[in-house]
Amino acid sequence: MINESDVSACVRHAMDGYFKDLDGEAPQNVYDMVLQCVEKPLLETVMKHAKGNQSKAAEILGLNRNTLRKKLAQYNLQ
């Protein structure tokens, strides 16, 4: 079972690699980049677990169903 420290460690590792790969270039829009990298697979996985049921997925995620629908549309996950 994955726990919060596992996810945090993955993010730290990925961000360390990202900054190392910049090789002196200035980072930009890091927050949005990370959210997009994490949010889409999160939504895909939860929707699969919920067998496509948006109400159930919204409940699992702690989101309003309309917010979930907006995010699914944003990532073309309908």
Side-chain angles (χ1 to χ4, degrees):
M1 177 173 194
I2 192 165
N3 63 44
E4 186 176 330
S5 63
D6 294 336
V7 174
S8 296
C10 288
V11 171
R12 280 189 193 91
H13 178 72
M15 292 308 301
D16 286 343
Y18 170 77
F19 286 117
K20 182 180 176 186
D21 290 345
L22 284 176
D23 195 32
E25 293 291 322
Q28 295 182 347
N29 299 322
V30 173
Y31 183 79
D32 287 336
M33 175 194 71
V34 171
L35 283 185
Q36 288 180 8
C37 288
V38 172
E39 197 168 42
K40 184 176 180 181
L42 171 65
L43 295 171
E44 289 170 330
T45 303
V46 171
M47 286 301 295
K48 182 179 176 184
H49 177 77
K51 297 183 174 110
N53 183 319
Q54 291 182 2
S55 294
K56 184 176 179 180
E59 184 178 331
I60 292 168
L61 290 164
L63 296 175
N64 177 287
R65 190 172 60 85
N66 288 333
T67 301
L68 174 61
R69 291 178 62 122
K70 178 182 161 191
K71 290 183 177 295
L72 291 173
Q74 176 184 347
Y75 293 107
N76 270 338
L77 296 176
Q78 312 222 10

